[in-house]
mmCIF file of all heavy atoms in Angstrom:
data_model
loop_
_atom_site.group_PDB
_atom_site.id
_atom_site.type_symbol
_atom_site.label_atom_id
_atom_site.label_comp_id
_atom_site.label_asym_id
_atom_site.label_seq_id
_atom_site.Cartn_x
_atom_site.Cartn_y
_atom_site.Cartn_z
ATOM 1 N N MET V 193 0.835 -1.202 0.000
ATOM 2 C CA MET V 193 0.000 0.000 0.000
ATOM 3 C C MET V 193 0.867 1.247 0.000
ATOM 4 O O MET V 193 1.409 1.630 1.010
ATOM 5 C CB MET V 193 -0.875 0.034 1.258
ATOM 6 C CG MET V 193 -1.967 -1.022 1.287
ATOM 7 S SD MET V 193 -3.628 -0.528 0.849
ATOM 8 C CE MET V 193 -3.926 1.027 1.640
ATOM 9 N N SER V 194 0.985 1.878 -1.135
ATOM 10 C CA SER V 194 1.765 3.110 -1.170
ATOM 11 C C SER V 194 0.864 4.325 -1.343
ATOM 12 O O SER V 194 1.341 5.436 -1.477
ATOM 13 C CB SER V 194 2.785 3.039 -2.299
ATOM 14 O OG SER V 194 2.137 2.798 -3.512
ATOM 15 N N GLY V 195 -0.436 4.130 -1.362
ATOM 16 C CA GLY V 195 -1.352 5.261 -1.504
ATOM 17 C C GLY V 195 -1.723 5.509 -2.951
ATOM 18 O O GLY V 195 -1.150 4.941 -3.867
ATOM 19 N N PHE V 196 -2.691 6.391 -3.108
ATOM 20 C CA PHE V 196 -3.223 6.703 -4.434
ATOM 21 C C PHE V 196 -2.706 8.056 -4.901
ATOM 22 O O PHE V 196 -2.433 8.933 -4.089
ATOM 23 C CB PHE V 196 -4.749 6.720 -4.387
ATOM 24 C CG PHE V 196 -5.348 5.366 -4.173
ATOM 25 C CD1 PHE V 196 -5.489 4.852 -2.891
ATOM 26 C CD2 PHE V 196 -5.771 4.603 -5.253
ATOM 27 C CE1 PHE V 196 -6.049 3.589 -2.693
ATOM 28 C CE2 PHE V 196 -6.325 3.343 -5.060
ATOM 29 C CZ PHE V 196 -6.456 2.846 -3.778
ATOM 30 N N GLU V 197 -2.591 8.193 -6.208
ATOM 31 C CA GLU V 197 -2.129 9.444 -6.799
ATOM 32 C C GLU V 197 -3.122 9.967 -7.818
ATOM 33 O O GLU V 197 -3.750 9.188 -8.527
ATOM 34 C CB GLU V 197 -0.831 9.216 -7.584
ATOM 35 C CG GLU V 197 0.416 9.261 -6.743
ATOM 36 C CD GLU V 197 1.654 9.116 -7.625
ATOM 37 O OE1 GLU V 197 1.708 9.772 -8.686
ATOM 38 O OE2 GLU V 197 2.516 8.334 -7.251
ATOM 39 N N PHE V 198 -3.198 11.292 -7.893
ATOM 40 C CA PHE V 198 -4.043 11.917 -8.911
ATOM 41 C C PHE V 198 -3.393 13.224 -9.335
ATOM 42 O O PHE V 198 -2.887 13.969 -8.497
ATOM 43 C CB PHE V 198 -5.438 12.190 -8.358
ATOM 44 C CG PHE V 198 -6.268 13.068 -9.259
ATOM 45 C CD1 PHE V 198 -6.897 12.542 -10.373
ATOM 46 C CD2 PHE V 198 -6.401 14.424 -8.994
ATOM 47 C CE1 PHE V 198 -7.643 13.362 -11.220
ATOM 48 C CE2 PHE V 198 -7.150 15.247 -9.832
ATOM 49 C CZ PHE V 198 -7.769 14.707 -10.944
ATOM 50 N N LYS V 199 -3.402 13.500 -10.641
ATOM 51 C CA LYS V 199 -2.941 14.797 -11.148
ATOM 52 C C LYS V 199 -4.061 15.420 -11.955
ATOM 53 O O LYS V 199 -4.621 14.791 -12.854
ATOM 54 C CB LYS V 199 -1.715 14.625 -12.042
ATOM 55 C CG LYS V 199 -0.499 14.190 -11.263
ATOM 56 C CD LYS V 199 0.718 14.073 -12.159
ATOM 57 C CE LYS V 199 1.922 13.661 -11.332
ATOM 58 N NZ LYS V 199 2.745 12.648 -11.975
ATOM 59 N N CYS V 200 -4.362 16.670 -11.624
ATOM 60 C CA CYS V 200 -5.434 17.375 -12.316
ATOM 61 C C CYS V 200 -5.173 17.423 -13.827
ATOM 62 O O CYS V 200 -6.100 17.310 -14.617
ATOM 63 C CB CYS V 200 -5.555 18.775 -11.733
ATOM 64 S SG CYS V 200 -7.242 19.299 -11.486
ATOM 65 N N LYS V 201 -3.932 17.574 -14.231
ATOM 66 C CA LYS V 201 -3.664 17.667 -15.667
ATOM 67 C C LYS V 201 -3.974 16.367 -16.399
ATOM 68 O O LYS V 201 -4.201 16.386 -17.604
ATOM 69 C CB LYS V 201 -2.247 18.169 -15.943
ATOM 70 C CG LYS V 201 -1.130 17.260 -15.568
ATOM 71 C CD LYS V 201 0.195 17.929 -16.008
ATOM 72 C CE LYS V 201 1.445 17.321 -15.399
ATOM 73 N NZ LYS V 201 1.597 15.887 -15.546
ATOM 74 N N ASP V 202 -4.011 15.254 -15.673
ATOM 75 C CA ASP V 202 -4.365 13.975 -16.303
ATOM 76 C C ASP V 202 -5.819 13.916 -16.774
ATOM 77 O O ASP V 202 -6.190 13.033 -17.543
ATOM 78 C CB ASP V 202 -4.102 12.801 -15.348
ATOM 79 C CG ASP V 202 -2.608 12.518 -15.192
ATOM 80 O OD1 ASP V 202 -1.809 13.077 -15.961
ATOM 81 O OD2 ASP V 202 -2.257 11.730 -14.304
ATOM 82 N N ILE V 203 -6.646 14.821 -16.281
ATOM 83 C CA ILE V 203 -8.014 14.879 -16.808
ATOM 84 C C ILE V 203 -8.192 16.081 -17.734
ATOM 85 O O ILE V 203 -9.309 16.484 -18.030
ATOM 86 C CB ILE V 203 -9.093 14.880 -15.699
ATOM 87 C CG1 ILE V 203 -8.957 16.092 -14.765
ATOM 88 C CG2 ILE V 203 -9.039 13.589 -14.890
ATOM 89 C CD1 ILE V 203 -10.210 16.326 -13.910
ATOM 90 N N GLY V 204 -7.073 16.646 -18.181
ATOM 91 C CA GLY V 204 -7.136 17.691 -19.190
ATOM 92 C C GLY V 204 -7.251 19.103 -18.645
ATOM 93 O O GLY V 204 -7.488 20.037 -19.403
ATOM 94 N N MET V 205 -7.091 19.253 -17.322
ATOM 95 C CA MET V 205 -7.134 20.582 -16.732
ATOM 96 C C MET V 205 -5.764 21.241 -16.868
ATOM 97 O O MET V 205 -4.737 20.585 -16.729
ATOM 98 C CB MET V 205 -7.481 20.492 -15.238
ATOM 99 C CG MET V 205 -8.858 19.949 -14.961
ATOM 100 S SD MET V 205 -10.130 21.134 -15.462
ATOM 101 C CE MET V 205 -11.562 20.349 -14.726
ATOM 102 N N ASN V 206 -5.775 22.548 -17.089
ATOM 103 C CA ASN V 206 -4.542 23.313 -17.091
ATOM 104 C C ASN V 206 -4.266 23.728 -15.649
ATOM 105 O O ASN V 206 -4.500 24.858 -15.260
ATOM 106 C CB ASN V 206 -4.692 24.537 -18.002
ATOM 107 C CG ASN V 206 -3.418 25.359 -18.067
ATOM 108 O OD1 ASN V 206 -2.336 24.877 -17.744
ATOM 109 N ND2 ASN V 206 -3.545 26.604 -18.473
ATOM 110 N N CYS V 207 -3.769 22.787 -14.881
ATOM 111 C CA CYS V 207 -3.730 22.949 -13.430
ATOM 112 C C CYS V 207 -2.623 22.072 -12.876
ATOM 113 O O CYS V 207 -2.473 20.930 -13.297
ATOM 114 C CB CYS V 207 -5.093 22.527 -12.867
ATOM 115 S SG CYS V 207 -5.178 22.495 -11.068
ATOM 116 N N GLY V 208 -1.824 22.601 -11.969
ATOM 117 C CA GLY V 208 -0.705 21.835 -11.425
ATOM 118 C C GLY V 208 -1.030 21.050 -10.173
ATOM 119 O O GLY V 208 -0.151 20.471 -9.554
ATOM 120 N N PHE V 209 -2.324 21.002 -9.822
ATOM 121 C CA PHE V 209 -2.707 20.302 -8.592
ATOM 122 C C PHE V 209 -2.440 18.815 -8.688
ATOM 123 O O PHE V 209 -2.756 18.172 -9.677
ATOM 124 C CB PHE V 209 -4.197 20.538 -8.339
ATOM 125 C CG PHE V 209 -4.749 19.830 -7.121
ATOM 126 C CD1 PHE V 209 -4.502 20.323 -5.849
ATOM 127 C CD2 PHE V 209 -5.522 18.690 -7.262
ATOM 128 C CE1 PHE V 209 -5.018 19.681 -4.732
ATOM 129 C CE2 PHE V 209 -6.047 18.044 -6.151
ATOM 130 C CZ PHE V 209 -5.795 18.546 -4.883
ATOM 131 N N GLU V 210 -1.828 18.264 -7.653
ATOM 132 C CA GLU V 210 -1.699 16.815 -7.586
ATOM 133 C C GLU V 210 -1.784 16.337 -6.153
ATOM 134 O O GLU V 210 -1.472 17.065 -5.225
ATOM 135 C CB GLU V 210 -0.419 16.331 -8.263
ATOM 136 C CG GLU V 210 0.867 16.951 -7.765
ATOM 137 C CD GLU V 210 2.075 16.411 -8.540
ATOM 138 O OE1 GLU V 210 2.292 16.857 -9.685
ATOM 139 O OE2 GLU V 210 2.784 15.559 -8.001
ATOM 140 N N VAL V 211 -2.265 15.130 -5.999
ATOM 141 C CA VAL V 211 -2.392 14.508 -4.681
ATOM 142 C C VAL V 211 -1.571 13.240 -4.696
ATOM 143 O O VAL V 211 -1.645 12.459 -5.653
ATOM 144 C CB VAL V 211 -3.859 14.105 -4.381
ATOM 145 C CG1 VAL V 211 -3.972 13.561 -2.964
ATOM 146 C CG2 VAL V 211 -4.805 15.271 -4.570
ATOM 147 N N LYS V 212 -0.785 13.043 -3.664
ATOM 148 C CA LYS V 212 -0.068 11.779 -3.518
ATOM 149 C C LYS V 212 -0.320 11.244 -2.132
ATOM 150 O O LYS V 212 -0.337 12.004 -1.168
ATOM 151 C CB LYS V 212 1.444 11.983 -3.702
ATOM 152 C CG LYS V 212 1.825 12.196 -5.136
ATOM 153 C CD LYS V 212 3.318 12.362 -5.308
ATOM 154 C CE LYS V 212 3.628 12.597 -6.775
ATOM 155 N NZ LYS V 212 5.011 12.986 -6.991
ATOM 156 N N GLY V 213 -0.530 9.957 -2.044
ATOM 157 C CA GLY V 213 -0.582 9.317 -0.737
ATOM 158 C C GLY V 213 -1.947 9.248 -0.098
ATOM 159 O O GLY V 213 -2.044 8.914 1.078
ATOM 160 N N ALA V 214 -3.026 9.536 -0.858
ATOM 161 C CA ALA V 214 -4.353 9.317 -0.299
ATOM 162 C C ALA V 214 -4.501 7.824 -0.009
ATOM 163 O O ALA V 214 -4.000 6.982 -0.752
ATOM 164 C CB ALA V 214 -5.429 9.780 -1.268
ATOM 165 N N SER V 215 -5.168 7.498 1.088
ATOM 166 C CA SER V 215 -5.177 6.102 1.516
ATOM 167 C C SER V 215 -6.281 5.280 0.866
ATOM 168 O O SER V 215 -6.250 4.060 0.920
ATOM 169 C CB SER V 215 -5.287 6.021 3.036
ATOM 170 O OG SER V 215 -6.470 6.661 3.461
ATOM 171 N N SER V 216 -7.251 5.933 0.249
ATOM 172 C CA SER V 216 -8.333 5.196 -0.413
ATOM 173 C C SER V 216 -8.897 6.028 -1.558
ATOM 174 O O SER V 216 -8.670 7.240 -1.629
ATOM 175 C CB SER V 216 -9.452 4.878 0.579
ATOM 176 O OG SER V 216 -10.086 6.086 0.975
ATOM 177 N N ARG V 217 -9.635 5.361 -2.453
ATOM 178 C CA ARG V 217 -10.307 6.095 -3.534
ATOM 179 C C ARG V 217 -11.336 7.069 -2.976
ATOM 180 O O ARG V 217 -11.510 8.165 -3.507
ATOM 181 C CB ARG V 217 -11.002 5.107 -4.478
ATOM 182 C CG ARG V 217 -10.010 4.398 -5.362
ATOM 183 C CD ARG V 217 -10.677 3.509 -6.383
ATOM 184 N NE ARG V 217 -9.667 3.135 -7.360
ATOM 185 C CZ ARG V 217 -9.480 3.768 -8.523
ATOM 186 N NH1 ARG V 217 -10.296 4.713 -8.900
ATOM 187 N NH2 ARG V 217 -8.498 3.424 -9.317
ATOM 188 N N ASP V 218 -12.027 6.670 -1.896
ATOM 189 C CA ASP V 218 -13.006 7.568 -1.288
ATOM 190 C C ASP V 218 -12.343 8.836 -0.771
ATOM 191 O O ASP V 218 -12.838 9.942 -0.975
ATOM 192 C CB ASP V 218 -13.732 6.872 -0.125
ATOM 193 C CG ASP V 218 -14.832 5.941 -0.606
ATOM 194 O OD1 ASP V 218 -15.125 5.933 -1.822
ATOM 195 O OD2 ASP V 218 -15.393 5.221 0.230
ATOM 196 N N GLU V 219 -11.202 8.651 -0.085
ATOM 197 C CA GLU V 219 -10.485 9.816 0.420
ATOM 198 C C GLU V 219 -10.037 10.693 -0.744
ATOM 199 O O GLU V 219 -10.150 11.916 -0.705
ATOM 200 C CB GLU V 219 -9.273 9.366 1.247
ATOM 201 C CG GLU V 219 -8.566 10.548 1.896
ATOM 202 C CD GLU V 219 -7.244 10.176 2.568
ATOM 203 O OE1 GLU V 219 -6.922 8.981 2.681
ATOM 204 O OE2 GLU V 219 -6.526 11.111 2.961
ATOM 205 N N MET V 220 -9.539 10.061 -1.802
ATOM 206 C CA MET V 220 -9.090 10.806 -2.976
ATOM 207 C C MET V 220 -10.232 11.612 -3.582
ATOM 208 O O MET V 220 -10.062 12.790 -3.900
ATOM 209 C CB MET V 220 -8.525 9.824 -4.005
ATOM 210 C CG MET V 220 -7.997 10.502 -5.242
ATOM 211 S SD MET V 220 -6.619 11.611 -4.905
ATOM 212 C CE MET V 220 -5.239 10.480 -5.065
ATOM 213 N N MET V 221 -11.399 10.994 -3.722
ATOM 214 C CA MET V 221 -12.531 11.710 -4.310
ATOM 215 C C MET V 221 -12.926 12.908 -3.455
ATOM 216 O O MET V 221 -13.317 13.948 -3.974
ATOM 217 C CB MET V 221 -13.733 10.775 -4.517
ATOM 218 C CG MET V 221 -13.542 9.740 -5.628
ATOM 219 S SD MET V 221 -13.054 10.408 -7.253
ATOM 220 C CE MET V 221 -14.543 11.275 -7.741
ATOM 221 N N GLN V 222 -12.794 12.774 -2.125
ATOM 222 C CA GLN V 222 -13.111 13.902 -1.249
ATOM 223 C C GLN V 222 -12.122 15.041 -1.442
ATOM 224 O O GLN V 222 -12.494 16.213 -1.492
ATOM 225 C CB GLN V 222 -13.114 13.455 0.221
ATOM 226 C CG GLN V 222 -14.376 12.688 0.577
ATOM 227 C CD GLN V 222 -14.338 12.139 2.003
ATOM 228 O OE1 GLN V 222 -13.558 12.595 2.829
ATOM 229 N NE2 GLN V 222 -15.177 11.159 2.269
ATOM 230 N N ILE V 223 -10.831 14.678 -1.544
ATOM 231 C CA ILE V 223 -9.799 15.702 -1.743
ATOM 232 C C ILE V 223 -10.005 16.393 -3.091
ATOM 233 O O ILE V 223 -9.951 17.617 -3.204
ATOM 234 C CB ILE V 223 -8.387 15.059 -1.673
ATOM 235 C CG1 ILE V 223 -8.113 14.541 -0.262
ATOM 236 C CG2 ILE V 223 -7.316 16.075 -2.096
ATOM 237 C CD1 ILE V 223 -6.905 13.621 -0.159
ATOM 238 N N VAL V 224 -10.265 15.581 -4.121
ATOM 239 C CA VAL V 224 -10.435 16.132 -5.469
ATOM 240 C C VAL V 224 -11.699 16.994 -5.541
ATOM 241 O O VAL V 224 -11.692 18.055 -6.167
ATOM 242 C CB VAL V 224 -10.459 14.998 -6.521
ATOM 243 C CG1 VAL V 224 -10.811 15.541 -7.904
ATOM 244 C CG2 VAL V 224 -9.098 14.302 -6.572
ATOM 245 N N SER V 225 -12.760 16.555 -4.870
ATOM 246 C CA SER V 225 -13.999 17.346 -4.843
ATOM 247 C C SER V 225 -13.764 18.716 -4.226
ATOM 248 O O SER V 225 -14.235 19.731 -4.750
ATOM 249 C CB SER V 225 -15.087 16.641 -4.027
ATOM 250 O OG SER V 225 -15.445 15.434 -4.605
ATOM 251 N N ALA V 226 -13.036 18.721 -3.110
ATOM 252 C CA ALA V 226 -12.754 19.991 -2.435
ATOM 253 C C ALA V 226 -11.908 20.894 -3.332
ATOM 254 O O ALA V 226 -12.146 22.102 -3.423
ATOM 255 C CB ALA V 226 -12.049 19.734 -1.106
ATOM 256 N N HIS V 227 -10.936 20.305 -4.017
ATOM 257 C CA HIS V 227 -10.101 21.068 -4.936
ATOM 258 C C HIS V 227 -10.924 21.603 -6.111
ATOM 259 O O HIS V 227 -10.795 22.766 -6.493
ATOM 260 C CB HIS V 227 -8.953 20.186 -5.456
ATOM 261 C CG HIS V 227 -8.260 20.779 -6.639
ATOM 262 N ND1 HIS V 227 -7.415 21.865 -6.547
ATOM 263 C CD2 HIS V 227 -8.303 20.457 -7.960
ATOM 264 C CE1 HIS V 227 -6.978 22.173 -7.764
ATOM 265 N NE2 HIS V 227 -7.499 21.335 -8.638
ATOM 266 N N ALA V 228 -11.769 20.763 -6.669
ATOM 267 C CA ALA V 228 -12.576 21.166 -7.824
ATOM 268 C C ALA V 228 -13.502 22.322 -7.463
ATOM 269 O O ALA V 228 -13.709 23.238 -8.259
ATOM 270 C CB ALA V 228 -13.392 19.984 -8.338
ATOM 271 N N LYS V 229 -14.018 22.272 -6.254
ATOM 272 C CA LYS V 229 -14.905 23.321 -5.786
ATOM 273 C C LYS V 229 -14.154 24.636 -5.634
ATOM 274 O O LYS V 229 -14.587 25.678 -6.123
ATOM 275 C CB LYS V 229 -15.501 22.890 -4.436
ATOM 276 C CG LYS V 229 -16.629 23.725 -3.946
ATOM 277 C CD LYS V 229 -17.206 23.073 -2.688
ATOM 278 C CE LYS V 229 -18.389 23.865 -2.171
ATOM 279 N NZ LYS V 229 -19.008 23.191 -1.005
ATOM 280 N N GLY V 230 -12.985 24.572 -4.984
ATOM 281 C CA GLY V 230 -12.217 25.779 -4.705
ATOM 282 C C GLY V 230 -11.505 26.330 -5.928
ATOM 283 O O GLY V 230 -11.436 27.542 -6.119
ATOM 284 N N ALA V 231 -10.961 25.451 -6.754
ATOM 285 C CA ALA V 231 -10.089 25.895 -7.838
ATOM 286 C C ALA V 231 -10.784 25.937 -9.189
ATOM 287 O O ALA V 231 -10.369 26.670 -10.074
ATOM 288 C CB ALA V 231 -8.862 24.992 -7.924
ATOM 289 N N HIS V 232 -11.818 25.123 -9.370
ATOM 290 C CA HIS V 232 -12.446 25.029 -10.692
ATOM 291 C C HIS V 232 -13.921 25.394 -10.674
ATOM 292 O O HIS V 232 -14.635 25.135 -11.645
ATOM 293 C CB HIS V 232 -12.265 23.614 -11.254
ATOM 294 C CG HIS V 232 -10.812 23.241 -11.408
ATOM 295 N ND1 HIS V 232 -9.965 23.878 -12.272
ATOM 296 C CD2 HIS V 232 -10.073 22.300 -10.778
ATOM 297 C CE1 HIS V 232 -8.747 23.332 -12.167
ATOM 298 N NE2 HIS V 232 -8.783 22.380 -11.269
ATOM 299 N N ASN V 233 -14.370 25.980 -9.554
ATOM 300 C CA ASN V 233 -15.751 26.434 -9.465
ATOM 301 C C ASN V 233 -16.786 25.353 -9.714
ATOM 302 O O ASN V 233 -17.856 25.627 -10.251
ATOM 303 C CB ASN V 233 -15.992 27.584 -10.455
ATOM 304 C CG ASN V 233 -15.716 28.925 -9.809
ATOM 305 O OD1 ASN V 233 -15.934 29.096 -8.612
ATOM 306 N ND2 ASN V 233 -15.223 29.861 -10.597
ATOM 307 N N MET V 234 -16.455 24.109 -9.361
ATOM 308 C CA MET V 234 -17.430 23.025 -9.500
ATOM 309 C C MET V 234 -18.035 22.756 -8.127
ATOM 310 O O MET V 234 -17.405 22.126 -7.279
ATOM 311 C CB MET V 234 -16.746 21.745 -9.990
ATOM 312 C CG MET V 234 -16.258 21.831 -11.411
ATOM 313 S SD MET V 234 -15.460 20.267 -11.849
ATOM 314 C CE MET V 234 -14.655 20.748 -13.369
ATOM 315 N N THR V 235 -19.254 23.207 -7.931
ATOM 316 C CA THR V 235 -19.884 22.942 -6.634
ATOM 317 C C THR V 235 -20.243 21.467 -6.508
ATOM 318 O O THR V 235 -20.197 20.902 -5.429
ATOM 319 C CB THR V 235 -21.134 23.816 -6.421
ATOM 320 O OG1 THR V 235 -21.949 23.739 -7.592
ATOM 321 C CG2 THR V 235 -20.748 25.261 -6.199
ATOM 322 N N THR V 236 -20.581 20.869 -7.639
ATOM 323 C CA THR V 236 -20.669 19.409 -7.669
ATOM 324 C C THR V 236 -19.861 18.944 -8.879
ATOM 325 O O THR V 236 -19.717 19.677 -9.853
ATOM 326 C CB THR V 236 -22.115 18.898 -7.831
ATOM 327 O OG1 THR V 236 -22.665 19.469 -9.016
ATOM 328 C CG2 THR V 236 -22.973 19.289 -6.647
ATOM 329 N N ILE V 237 -19.365 17.727 -8.805
ATOM 330 C CA ILE V 237 -18.563 17.203 -9.908
ATOM 331 C C ILE V 237 -19.493 16.514 -10.901
ATOM 332 O O ILE V 237 -20.198 15.580 -10.542
ATOM 333 C CB ILE V 237 -17.515 16.213 -9.375
ATOM 334 C CG1 ILE V 237 -16.671 16.933 -8.322
ATOM 335 C CG2 ILE V 237 -16.668 15.665 -10.521
ATOM 336 C CD1 ILE V 237 -15.246 16.549 -8.250
ATOM 337 N N PRO V 238 -19.517 16.971 -12.149
ATOM 338 C CA PRO V 238 -20.381 16.324 -13.147
ATOM 339 C C PRO V 238 -19.952 14.872 -13.362
ATOM 340 O O PRO V 238 -18.768 14.555 -13.225
ATOM 341 C CB PRO V 238 -20.134 17.146 -14.426
ATOM 342 C CG PRO V 238 -19.431 18.383 -13.996
ATOM 343 C CD PRO V 238 -18.741 18.085 -12.709
ATOM 344 N N PRO V 239 -20.900 14.004 -13.702
ATOM 345 C CA PRO V 239 -20.584 12.576 -13.845
ATOM 346 C C PRO V 239 -19.451 12.277 -14.828
ATOM 347 O O PRO V 239 -18.643 11.380 -14.572
ATOM 348 C CB PRO V 239 -21.893 11.959 -14.348
ATOM 349 C CG PRO V 239 -22.953 12.903 -13.897
ATOM 350 C CD PRO V 239 -22.326 14.264 -13.887
ATOM 351 N N ASP V 240 -19.376 13.040 -15.934
ATOM 352 C CA ASP V 240 -18.300 12.751 -16.889
ATOM 353 C C ASP V 240 -16.930 13.084 -16.304
ATOM 354 O O ASP V 240 -15.953 12.374 -16.539
ATOM 355 C CB ASP V 240 -18.542 13.477 -18.215
ATOM 356 C CG ASP V 240 -18.605 14.994 -18.071
ATOM 357 O OD1 ASP V 240 -19.185 15.485 -17.075
ATOM 358 O OD2 ASP V 240 -18.071 15.693 -18.934
ATOM 359 N N ILE V 241 -16.871 14.160 -15.496
ATOM 360 C CA ILE V 241 -15.601 14.497 -14.834
ATOM 361 C C ILE V 241 -15.281 13.459 -13.756
ATOM 362 O O ILE V 241 -14.136 13.015 -13.634
ATOM 363 C CB ILE V 241 -15.670 15.904 -14.189
ATOM 364 C CG1 ILE V 241 -16.003 16.976 -15.234
ATOM 365 C CG2 ILE V 241 -14.363 16.232 -13.468
ATOM 366 C CD1 ILE V 241 -14.894 17.313 -16.194
ATOM 367 N N ALA V 242 -16.296 13.061 -13.011
ATOM 368 C CA ALA V 242 -16.073 12.062 -11.957
ATOM 369 C C ALA V 242 -15.497 10.778 -12.534
ATOM 370 O O ALA V 242 -14.587 10.176 -11.966
ATOM 371 C CB ALA V 242 -17.377 11.777 -11.210
ATOM 372 N N SER V 243 -15.991 10.369 -13.701
ATOM 373 C CA SER V 243 -15.460 9.135 -14.280
ATOM 374 C C SER V 243 -14.047 9.339 -14.816
ATOM 375 O O SER V 243 -13.211 8.440 -14.723
ATOM 376 C CB SER V 243 -16.410 8.560 -15.330
ATOM 377 O OG SER V 243 -16.314 9.242 -16.535
ATOM 378 N N LYS V 244 -13.752 10.546 -15.320
ATOM 379 C CA LYS V 244 -12.364 10.842 -15.730
ATOM 380 C C LYS V 244 -11.431 10.814 -14.528
ATOM 381 O O LYS V 244 -10.325 10.286 -14.595
ATOM 382 C CB LYS V 244 -12.274 12.233 -16.374
ATOM 383 C CG LYS V 244 -12.682 12.286 -17.810
ATOM 384 C CD LYS V 244 -12.358 13.678 -18.348
ATOM 385 C CE LYS V 244 -12.923 13.888 -19.737
ATOM 386 N NZ LYS V 244 -12.690 15.256 -20.205
ATOM 387 N N VAL V 245 -11.881 11.419 -13.435
ATOM 388 C CA VAL V 245 -11.068 11.423 -12.212
ATOM 389 C C VAL V 245 -10.818 9.998 -11.759
ATOM 390 O O VAL V 245 -9.687 9.597 -11.471
ATOM 391 C CB VAL V 245 -11.768 12.231 -11.093
ATOM 392 C CG1 VAL V 245 -11.051 12.024 -9.754
ATOM 393 C CG2 VAL V 245 -11.814 13.712 -11.440
ATOM 394 N N SER V 246 -11.892 9.219 -11.747
ATOM 395 C CA SER V 246 -11.782 7.838 -11.287
ATOM 396 C C SER V 246 -10.766 7.056 -12.100
ATOM 397 O O SER V 246 -9.939 6.313 -11.559
ATOM 398 C CB SER V 246 -13.166 7.201 -11.356
ATOM 399 O OG SER V 246 -13.127 5.924 -10.806
ATOM 400 N N SER V 247 -10.784 7.248 -13.427
ATOM 401 C CA SER V 247 -9.831 6.493 -14.238
ATOM 402 C C SER V 247 -8.423 7.084 -14.197
ATOM 403 O O SER V 247 -7.467 6.400 -14.544
ATOM 404 C CB SER V 247 -10.341 6.333 -15.677
ATOM 405 O OG SER V 247 -10.531 7.577 -16.275
ATOM 406 N N ALA V 248 -8.289 8.338 -13.747
ATOM 407 C CA ALA V 248 -6.964 8.959 -13.659
ATOM 408 C C ALA V 248 -6.270 8.690 -12.315
ATOM 409 O O ALA V 248 -5.088 8.967 -12.168
ATOM 410 C CB ALA V 248 -7.070 10.464 -13.888
ATOM 411 N N ILE V 249 -7.019 8.154 -11.359
ATOM 412 C CA ILE V 249 -6.423 7.836 -10.057
ATOM 413 C C ILE V 249 -5.517 6.619 -10.202
ATOM 414 O O ILE V 249 -5.927 5.594 -10.745
ATOM 415 C CB ILE V 249 -7.506 7.574 -8.989
ATOM 416 C CG1 ILE V 249 -8.268 8.870 -8.693
ATOM 417 C CG2 ILE V 249 -6.874 7.023 -7.707
ATOM 418 C CD1 ILE V 249 -9.469 8.676 -7.766
ATOM 419 N N LYS V 250 -4.277 6.782 -9.765
ATOM 420 C CA LYS V 250 -3.315 5.679 -9.847
ATOM 421 C C LYS V 250 -2.971 5.191 -8.462
ATOM 422 O O LYS V 250 -2.919 5.977 -7.527
ATOM 423 C CB LYS V 250 -2.039 6.157 -10.550
ATOM 424 C CG LYS V 250 -2.275 6.523 -11.983
ATOM 425 C CD LYS V 250 -1.024 7.127 -12.606
ATOM 426 C CE LYS V 250 -1.303 7.577 -14.028
ATOM 427 N NZ LYS V 250 -0.959 8.982 -14.236
ATOM 428 N N SER V 251 -2.726 3.938 -8.363
ATOM 429 C CA SER V 251 -2.345 3.396 -7.055
ATOM 430 C C SER V 251 -0.973 2.744 -7.145
ATOM 431 O O SER V 251 -0.458 2.521 -8.220
ATOM 432 C CB SER V 251 -3.362 2.380 -6.567
ATOM 433 O OG SER V 251 -3.483 1.354 -7.504
HETATM 434 ZN ZN1 LIG I 438 -7.156 21.417 -10.632
#
């Protein structure tokens, strides 16, 4: 278990945000949701973005 990784640019965002070491996909989705809200003005994550995020999460 080395944790999960996500990079915003992997879903096509012009954004340097990245997360390393989240302990679960659920935790990662929470971190990414908070980032999307604050940085990308997404109060909720649209389903197509959520599925892109999900497939961009690496473990
Ligand atoms: Zn971002």
Side-chain angles (χ1 to χ4, degrees):
M193 291 260 317
S194 57
F196 291 85
E197 275 184 45
F198 169 80
K199 291 182 179 137
C200 222
K201 68 177 165 53
D202 287 349
I203 61 164
M205 296 290 190
N206 181 19
C207 174
F209 178 77
E210 55 181 77
V211 184
K212 285 181 181 170
S215 59
S216 67
R217 285 185 167 264
D218 281 353
E219 185 188 352
M220 182 62 89
M221 290 307 291
Q222 283 175 19
I223 294 167
V224 173
S225 297
H227 166 73
K229 191 174 182 176
H232 300 295
N233 270 327
M234 291 179 193
T235 48
T236 56
I237 304 214
D240 60 321
I241 302 287
S243 78
K244 279 188 188 176
V245 170
S246 186
S247 60
I249 293 173
K250 295 174 184 125
S251 58

